[in-house]
Amino acid sequence: MTTTADYTEKIPNNVSLHEDRRLQRALESWQPNFLTWWQTMGPTLPTQDVYLRTAVNVGREGWAQFGHVPMPEYRWGIFLAERDPGRRVGFGEHKGEPVWAKVPGEYRSELQRLIVIQGDTEPASVEQQRNLGATAPSLYDLRNLFQVNVEEGRHLWAMVYLLHAYFGREGREEAEELLHRNSGSEDSPRILGAFNEETPDWLSFFMFTYFTDRDGKYQLGTLKESAFDPLSRTCEFMLKEEAHHMMVGTTGIDRIVQRTVEVMREHDTDDVAGLGAIPLTVIQKYLNFHYSVSLDLFGGETSTNVANYYTAGLKGRWLEDRRKDDHQLASDSIMVDSLSEDGQIGQTEVSALVGLNTDLRREYISDCEGGVKRWNRILDEAGLKQRLKLPHIAFNRKVGAFAGIEASPDGEQLTEQEWQRRSRDWLPTDVDKTYVRSLMQPVHERGKIAAWIAPPRNGINGQPFDYDYVHLI
């Protein structure tokens, strides 16, 4: 296998695509359909070129090359992390055996399904964010949006490569379907609910990249443990790029909170809605929504399917090699969130294998708390008493143990009538959404920024904030 990008090929890669003419022809046939999808469902703002990071190699110098690139000419490629020839299965009933270079027949359908679900999320987020460029608060933010978009496109390529290379005709058909489903479509929606939600404004975008892309981090982390080595190596490389998406969300919310604090102090008021900033109460509502929707992406608290994936070696736990157990879990147990027989929120003990969704969700929740601490530090340093917080795990849930009840952000169980009356205090209302959208006036002038968000502390790749990140048409 070569680790040097071949610039003579239409598809940059480190999987020796030139040695497999059948596969190369299949992907070259898929490429025009991808470009058609990008032109019709991708970013709508016309640009001349954008200062983008492009992966041309998995090495340190190759995966982060920066330069101004016309987006339709972006070099979407296929890159897998370096192969470890001594790697062995780290968990499940195959623990200790050599990892698989090919798909075992008995696990073919399960692996294909996992790859399709992951692949479906990648173009979905591009579709959700396609109109945001028209209201970007600065060229710096516009560039970050487009970087997220092109990398989601590359992650789609990564999953499509696996489908084409290892799953035959069915894989090729699934790869086509990834371009035919569309976010929010009534006839052909994306597979997971969060990827059919709107992302109509930049507060939503930053919340999405903080909370929903963070779910992606944990899902990729479990697939990185897979005994199917090409999937593992694909996800390992994708995690490098996913980190940028979460940085965009984390620092974006930092900057919104910072600007709100500045306006609050300047005018000595909590009510900044008429002053061109986003009130902390509205930020909290958007946080509540995106966090609860993202919790649903982890599925139910218990799952026999996920237990079977683990036992088979298809999908591991977050940081599997750091766990201090036998990595098979046949006799272990875990406490999972549940409703008691009388309908009260509580916990119950189940097999650790069946509770793997809960294990992963808790890793995610702990990670999410880190961002909230960052944002509260901004409030604390400003001498303000207000604090942001994650809502209770039962709040606004549509999947899992709490899907059939209503609960407040503090975990108080509510009747349907109470929820209808009080939920407007906890989730974005039409008034909130209209106000936030009213602030979304584009600032496409170099070095300038919208009044509702603070400028970043640092630019991209050592460039200043007022760098010419995007050249518009």
Side-chain angles (χ1 to χ4, degrees):
M1 176 177 290
T2 178
T3 59
T4 302
D6 185 352
Y7 287 94
T8 67
E9 298 289 344
K10 292 172 65 176
I11 305 167
N13 69 92
N14 71 341
V15 295
S16 301
L17 198 56
H18 65 283
E19 296 178 3
D20 188 336
R21 298 302 297 174
R22 181 198 61 80
L23 178 59
Q24 184 176 356
R25 285 194 298 270
L27 289 171
E28 287 178 348
S29 175
W30 186 84
Q31 187 179 48
N33 296 334
F34 168 81
L35 291 174
T36 298
W37 166 82
W38 178 268
Q39 291 163 2
T40 56
M41 299 302 297
T44 58
L45 184 70
T47 56
Q48 180 178 332
D49 56 41
V50 183
Y51 186 69
L52 294 172
R53 177 178 71 184
T54 303
V56 298
N57 191 299
V58 297
R60 181 172 296 178
E61 299 302 318
W63 79 275
Q65 293 199 357
F66 288 84
H68 282 90
V69 182
M71 278 203 295
E73 298 176 17
Y74 188 79
R75 293 174 61 80
W76 286 284
I78 301 164
F79 298 99
L80 279 64
E82 294 283 5
R83 178 175 175 269
D84 175 3
R87 182 173 178 251
R88 293 183 175 270
V89 182
F91 60 94
E93 64 185 8
H94 299 290
K95 182 176 180 289
E97 299 175 12
V99 293
W100 315 323
K102 296 183 179 181
V103 178
E106 64 269 34
Y107 302 137
R108 186 180 185 86
S109 62
E110 291 88 350
L111 275 169
Q112 180 174 297
R113 180 64 176 167
L114 288 171
I115 291 168
V116 166
I117 291 173
Q118 180 62 45
D120 194 69
T121 69
E122 312 297 353
S125 60
V126 177
E127 293 165 353
Q128 289 171 296
Q129 298 157 14
R130 65 190 306 260
N131 294 313
L132 288 177
T135 58
S138 72
L139 291 181
Y140 164 89
D141 291 294
L142 183 60
R143 177 263 165 211
N144 283 345
L145 167 69
F146 290 152
Q147 183 71 58
V148 169
N149 291 163
V150 295
E151 287 181 350
E152 300 290 18
R154 203 203 66 74
H155 296 175
L156 170 61
W157 269 95
M159 295 296 111
V160 165
Y161 161 74
L162 294 176
L163 291 171
H164 274 271
Y166 296 97
F167 294 91
R169 180 178 57 82
E170 288 184 0
R172 293 191 294 275
E173 291 173 355
E174 290 285 9
E176 289 297 328
E177 285 301 310
L178 290 173
L179 297 176
H180 293 158
R181 286 187 290 271
N182 295 132
S183 177
S185 166
E186 290 187 7
D187 298 327
S188 241
R190 291 298 175 182
I191 296 171
L192 300 177
F195 292 91
N196 290 302
E197 299 285 350
E198 286 187 306
T199 308
D201 57 70
W202 280 76
L203 177 56
S204 297
F205 172 66
F206 291 133
M207 291 291 178
F208 182 98
T209 47
Y210 184 82
F211 287 110
T212 307
D213 279 332
R214 194 167 304 274
D215 161 78
K217 164 187 170 180
Y218 282 88
Q219 301 299 341
L220 288 173
T222 63
L223 295 173
K224 183 179 77 69
E225 305 292 339
S226 180
F228 178 39
D229 205 41
L231 174 60
S232 169
R233 292 161 55 215
T234 297
C235 292
E236 183 178 348
F237 184 69
M238 287 169 67
L239 281 164
K240 290 179 178 289
E241 296 174 323
E242 200 73 29
H244 175 265
H245 307 180
M246 292 181 290
M247 181 279 291
V248 169
T250 303
T251 58
I253 300 171
D254 281 357
R255 294 158 53 215
I256 293 173
V257 173
Q258 180 64 47
R259 182 56 186 150
T260 295
V261 165
E262 292 169 357
V263 175
M264 289 172 65
R265 296 185 68 185
E266 179 182 351
H267 295 274
D268 192 25
T269 180
D270 295 349
D271 185 11
V272 298
L275 301 171
I278 302 176
L280 292 176
T281 54
V282 174
I283 296 173
Q284 179 68 63
K285 289 181 181 182
Y286 276 67
L287 185 160
N288 289 345
F289 174 77
H290 285 273
Y291 175 69
S292 59
V293 167
S294 298
L295 287 181
D296 281 348
L297 289 171
F298 291 86
E301 283 67 28
T302 60
S303 170
T304 54
N305 281 342
V306 174
N308 292 336
Y309 293 157
Y310 186 87
T311 299
L314 309 185
K315 184 178 180 182
R317 290 174 292 178
W318 177 253
L319 300 179
E320 182 71 44
D321 60 351
R322 299 187 187 180
R323 306 295 185 115
K324 304 301 182 183
D325 53 40
D326 67 1
H327 303 276
Q328 292 180 317
L329 309 180
S331 59
D332 293 353
S333 64
I334 185 176
M335 299 299 293
V336 302
D337 300 298
S338 66
L339 288 179
S340 64
E341 290 184 2
D342 60 355
Q344 297 302 304
I345 297 172
Q347 291 192 334
T348 189
E349 187 175 16
V350 301
S351 159
L353 284 169
V354 173
L356 284 172
N357 277 350
T358 291
D359 177 87
L360 188 62
R361 185 184 282 113
R362 287 175 181 165
E363 294 283 350
Y364 168 82
I365 291 171
S366 178
D367 198 1
C368 287
E369 288 171 346
V372 178
K373 289 178 181 177
R374 283 178 61 117
W375 308 326
N376 284 336
R377 196 176 304 125
I378 297 170
L379 298 172
D380 184 54
E381 291 173 354
L384 298 177
K385 295 181 179 180
Q386 293 93 331
R387 294 293 183 268
L388 299 168
K389 65 178 183 178
L390 298 178
H392 191 275
I393 196 169
F395 173 78
N396 193 41
R397 296 295 302 283
K398 303 295 187 290
V399 174
F402 306 126
I405 68 166
E406 302 294 358
S408 75
D410 293 325
E412 174 193 1
Q413 284 186 249
L414 307 171
T415 66
E416 180 65 29
Q417 292 75 19
E418 289 174 320
W419 170 261
Q420 292 298 332
R421 179 170 55 86
R422 300 174 62 187
S423 61
R424 69 190 65 184
D425 295 329
W426 306 319
L427 292 171
T429 64
D430 288 342
V431 172
D432 297 325
K433 295 175 184 177
T434 299
Y435 174 69
V436 170
R437 291 185 197 185
S438 76
L439 299 178
M440 301 293 115
Q441 302 301 317
V443 178
H444 291 161
E445 184 179 350
R446 182 173 170 178
K448 303 294 185 181
I449 193 166
W452 55 268
I453 187 170
R457 293 183 178 181
N458 302 296
I460 297 296
N461 191 38
Q463 304 294 349
F465 167 67
D466 63 355
Y467 183 67
D468 59 337
Y469 289 106
V470 181
H471 294 130
L472 300 172
I473 293 176

